[in-house]
Amino acid sequence: MSDLEFEVEKSMQSRRLADPALWSALTSAEQRVLGALFHEYAGQTFSSLLPSEAWAKEGLSGAEAKLAFAMLRRKQWIISVYKSWGECSFHIPECHLAQLTLTCTARVDCTVEPMVGSVRRVIKEGKPHIVGELLHLLAWMDREGLPVTGKGTIHKRTIQKLSMLTIVAQEDFEPLGITYDHEELYPVHVVILLDMLLCLNLVKQTERGFEIRQDKLQQWIKLSWFEMHGEVFRLCMERYGASGSEMQHFRYQLAVLAPGVNQWCRVLHVGGNSRSIGWLHALAGWGFGEIGEDEDGEVAFRWLIRPVEFLNTRTDCGVHHLDWLHKQEEVQSGKFYVQPDFEVMVPPDVPAEVCWRLEQYCERITRDQMTIYRLTKERMEIAAESGVKWGNIADFLHSHGHGELPDHLFATLKDWATVGGMVQDKQDILVFATNPEHPEQRKSERNSGLTHNFPLFYNGGTQGLLQLPFRSGITANHEDAETDLSHEVNEKLAWNDRKANVPEKWHREWRKYHLSTARQIAIQAIDWQVKLGIQKGEETFVLIPHQVEGHERWMLEGWCILDTSETTSHTEWRTFSPESWETMRLILPDDV
């Protein structure tokens, strides 16, 4: 399998895993184990299962929890990873977190609620979307290059240029508390921009400096803005928020439980939490949302995008998701306006590929909802020297701009971009622009059809500039499904050996036993971490035994399951004496 096929298959597998119907297909025990782990860890790594007390609260024995965990690994709701020194850890993959945020809302303190009243003031407006800044930075790097010193750092003067090149600012991301090398040299917003390009595989870092991956760049600029937003939003969610399950729960609740676009919601419990406030400011800096304050002085937030569309989930999407994606593709046909003073006004619905071409011929003056460029002699000469023909430039301006170019502007641009004898007259240009049989035109149309065949650019495993301690020394297990299937099979085979060492009637029949045998059965239940059933008259109790106290006159302590349903259980710590029941038996996990 080629690298491209592998990436496409991995992407398709990730989207299949995110199907909400898979949650319904889990057994009750699997749902409880997964819910408890999601509550405790969210998507962070962990090295061992929760203690028996936690499973008892779920109405599960330790053995049931272990078997359910093995099945969750097989079904890839749980993924295993290995640290560089061989230790195995686990985590819930990112593609399931949005679904679990919706499914397990009762388990986690909610941090988002509908807005009551109105917003008193907007604290921070959202900036124009970050994808446009990445495109602008790539165009600058393509022209200027980005070399490094002998120490492997960017030149100080170049850092100053990078810092001023973009509309994002240091104060947008300082509250995130991100850790990285050379903090005294690199402003945090410059680091985040470069880190994004590295993690999107659009740029690679070499001994000479930062170099553009031209093949990936050509794929990237053919994507729609919508597809680009999805790649960058997932990257931001996984990479730049503070680590820890609490903050991960906060980020996913804000993305999944908040109302629709441009609808304010209250964000709870963030007044004294600098990390939560920092995340909101970062979202505004990336152009994803805005921060406000309600009439009671509480923090409010509204999305400028539909975040749930960009997470690996079909929840709350369905046909609507396809309609929204289709609409996004439909509006990617806007045109720019070329002014007599050489300024080019670019509305937000102009496709990314067109904006990339403008970056080659223009200088960007301002960027807001309407971006303004200016056609310049310097850029035209650079384009011509690189082999771009004047006819192609004029065709581009004619095809993607409104109306005809003013005569004086047309003549000036033609003069700027003329190199040697490579000149086409206006009639030839217009024939090229309107003739679908022209070979260059057919080539362009073939290329435009490649948009949806590319794999995801961000895969979560690319090395960037940031130090992420919670991922340090961790590598993915590429044979995860096969390994975890073997783990589940081994767990079940182990039970065959265990059952062979005790009388079958202990777990097959309700029987009355001598006190010494009853004590032995209780100890066996504790050793196997299974449930113990006891009966007296018409009453039946299911226990999760914890310990046996005494010998001749002994007592059994553990959790008694008072009631149970498919999703919840209520347990109570109790002490039983052998006289409390008449018959008993071991209750083994299902399928063993």
Side-chain angles (χ1 to χ4, degrees):
M1 179 181 292
S2 68
D3 291 342
L4 175 60
E5 292 171 328
F6 174 76
E7 291 294 335
V8 172
E9 174 61 25
K10 185 168 64 174
S11 170
M12 294 297 293
Q13 182 185 52
S14 175
R15 296 184 186 280
R16 286 196 299 269
L17 288 173
D19 187 349
L22 295 179
W23 166 264
S24 301
L26 297 178
T27 66
S28 174
E30 291 165 1
Q31 289 181 356
R32 295 184 193 193
V33 168
L34 188 58
L37 293 173
F38 174 71
H39 169 256
E40 184 70 21
Y41 302 113
Q44 304 296 301
T45 58
F46 57 95
S47 56
S48 61
L49 282 175
L50 299 174
S52 57
E53 292 85 350
W55 300 127
K57 291 178 181 179
E58 300 290 335
L60 299 173
S61 67
E64 287 175 321
K66 287 180 179 179
L67 277 171
F69 183 75
M71 286 299 298
L72 290 170
R73 290 181 63 185
R74 177 185 178 184
K75 297 175 182 179
Q76 295 192 40
W77 283 90
I78 304 290
I79 299 297
S80 61
V81 293
Y82 292 94
K83 296 185 178 180
S84 55
W85 52 89
E87 181 183 348
C88 182
S89 295
F90 311 95
H91 72 277
I92 299 172
E94 175 264 344
C95 64
H96 291 310
L97 296 183
Q99 171 64 31
L100 291 174
T101 299
L102 287 172
T103 306
C104 304
T105 50
R107 290 179 174 272
V108 184
D109 291 337
C110 188
T111 56
V112 179
E113 70 177 19
M115 191 75 179
V116 178
S118 59
V119 169
R120 182 173 62 184
R121 67 187 181 101
V122 176
I123 297 174
K124 185 166 184 175
E125 294 182 352
K127 293 187 174 181
H129 63 78
I130 190 66
V131 175
E133 293 305 289
L134 296 178
L135 202 68
H136 184 53
L137 178 56
L138 283 167
W140 183 87
M141 292 175 61
D142 199 37
R143 290 190 305 271
E144 306 290 337
L146 191 55
V148 294
T149 66
K151 296 181 179 180
T153 59
I154 303 172
H155 295 268
K156 186 173 295 186
R157 185 174 298 177
T158 305
I159 294 173
Q160 293 173 350
K161 287 183 181 179
L162 288 172
S163 185
M164 301 299 295
L165 189 69
T166 175
I167 60 173
V168 298
Q170 191 165 354
E171 56 266 23
D172 292 328
F173 309 111
E174 277 183 330
L176 289 176
I178 291 175
T179 302
Y180 54 92
D181 293 332
H182 309 294
E183 291 186 37
E184 73 289 348
L185 182 63
Y186 297 156
V188 64
H189 65 297
V190 171
V191 168
I192 286 180
L193 286 172
L194 293 177
D195 187 77
M196 283 183 170
L197 294 180
L198 289 168
C199 290
L200 289 169
N201 288 302
L202 297 173
V203 169
K204 60 182 177 181
Q205 190 173 5
T206 68
E207 293 181 356
R208 298 182 300 274
F210 294 83
E211 299 178 1
I212 293 177
R213 297 177 183 267
Q214 291 294 337
D215 57 336
K216 285 289 187 179
L217 171 62
Q218 294 308 311
Q219 297 173 6
W220 177 257
I221 61 177
K222 289 179 174 63
L223 298 181
S224 68
W225 291 119
F226 180 83
E227 291 168 310
M228 290 180 176
H229 290 329
E231 295 292 321
V232 174
F233 183 73
R234 287 198 313 113
L235 187 156
C236 293
M237 284 285 286
E238 286 190 49
R239 192 163 179 84
Y240 305 122
S243 60
S245 58
E246 181 182 354
M247 279 303 302
Q248 201 164 27
H249 283 308
F250 170 70
R251 292 195 294 274
Y252 272 88
Q253 285 189 8
L254 187 66
V256 174
L257 302 182
V261 177
N262 292 320
Q263 298 183 41
W264 290 99
C265 63
R266 289 184 65 195
V267 184
L268 310 176
H269 318 305
V270 300
N273 191 332
S274 60
R275 297 189 302 172
S276 298
I277 292 294
W279 178 247
L280 298 182
H281 278 271
L283 290 175
W286 290 316
F288 294 139
E290 296 184 325
I291 310 171
E293 184 178 88
D294 68 9
E295 296 171 345
D296 298 325
E298 298 291 336
V299 176
F301 183 82
R302 67 176 174 185
W303 288 101
L304 301 178
I305 61 168
R306 289 179 171 85
V308 72
E309 302 280 1
F310 300 136
L311 300 173
N312 284 334
T313 176
R314 288 284 178 176
T315 303
D316 212 19
C317 296
V319 176
H320 168 70
H321 174 89
L322 299 178
D323 287 346
W324 169 246
L325 180 58
H326 181 63
K327 290 176 183 177
Q328 288 294 314
E329 293 304 315
E330 284 182 342
V331 300
Q332 297 295 310
S333 58
K335 294 190 174 185
F336 51 72
Y337 301 83
V338 182
Q339 304 298 303
D341 61 356
F342 295 83
E343 285 192 350
V344 182
M345 303 178 66
V346 184
D349 60 349
V350 173
E353 190 171 10
V354 174
C355 292
W356 174 257
R357 291 282 297 275
L358 284 173
E359 289 277 358
Q360 316 308 308
Y361 311 139
C362 309
E363 290 182 357
R364 195 178 78 175
I365 307 303
T366 61
R367 179 163 184 259
D368 207 322
Q369 294 303 314
M370 181 77 75
T371 303
I372 299 177
Y373 290 91
R374 178 180 289 119
L375 293 158
T376 67
K377 181 179 180 180
E378 179 187 8
R379 294 288 173 83
M380 285 290 185
E381 290 177 344
I382 293 173
E385 289 171 0
S386 66
V388 180
K389 295 182 179 181
W390 156 241
N392 292 344
I393 298 175
D395 169 63
F396 166 76
L397 296 174
H398 173 82
S399 300
H400 299 286
H402 281 283
E404 294 287 338
L405 293 178
D407 289 339
H408 76 283
L409 189 145
F410 183 89
T412 303
L413 296 180
K414 183 176 181 180
D415 182 59
W416 287 349
T418 299
V419 178
M422 294 188 298
V423 182
Q424 296 178 354
D425 60 36
K426 189 172 183 178
Q427 183 178 1
D428 291 338
I429 294 165
L430 294 180
V431 169
F432 169 79
T434 57
N435 183 8
E437 298 305 316
H438 193 287
E440 290 296 324
Q441 189 80 349
R442 291 199 304 271
K443 178 181 178 182
S444 174
E445 290 172 356
R446 286 198 304 270
N447 288 341
S448 66
L450 295 175
T451 299
H452 296 290
N453 294 329
F454 300 128
L456 297 177
F457 287 78
Y458 173 63
N459 58 29
T462 310
Q463 181 66 39
L465 295 181
L466 303 184
Q467 300 171 6
L468 303 178
F470 56 94
R471 292 183 182 174
S472 177
I474 291 179
T475 57
N477 175 17
H478 296 295
E479 298 179 351
D480 195 73
E482 182 179 346
T483 301
D484 292 337
L485 174 60
S486 174
H487 179 82
E488 178 228 346
V489 171
N490 290 339
E491 185 72 19
K492 289 186 176 181
L493 289 175
W495 276 103
N496 293 333
D497 296 333
R498 293 168 191 158
K499 290 188 294 183
N501 294 325
V502 302
E504 186 176 351
K505 60 185 178 183
W506 283 12
H507 57 85
R508 288 287 187 183
E509 306 172 11
W510 291 93
R511 293 172 63 97
K512 183 176 178 63
Y513 294 96
H514 187 271
L515 287 180
S516 60
T517 305
R519 184 177 184 276
Q520 189 177 355
I521 294 174
I523 291 175
Q524 189 67 72
I526 296 170
D527 182 54
W528 282 356
Q529 296 184 16
V530 298
K531 293 175 180 175
L532 184 68
I534 59 175
Q535 288 182 334
K536 187 171 185 178
E538 297 295 323
E539 290 187 306
T540 300
F541 296 96
V542 176
L543 313 179
I544 301 175
H546 178 67
Q547 64 180 358
V548 171
E549 291 283 349
H551 292 276
E552 296 297 329
R553 300 186 58 82
W554 55 274
M555 306 291 287
L556 175 63
E557 294 181 329
W559 295 271
C560 180
I561 301 177
L562 301 180
D563 60 81
T564 185
S565 66
E566 285 297 312
T567 57
T568 61
S569 292
H570 179 56
T571 59
E572 182 177 278
W573 180 265
R574 288 189 180 182
T575 300
F576 292 86
S577 66
E579 292 80 12
S580 302
W581 66 82
E582 297 168 350
T583 61
M584 63 188 302
R585 77 175 180 93
L586 297 172
I587 302 177
L588 304 186
D590 295 336
D591 301 324
V592 300

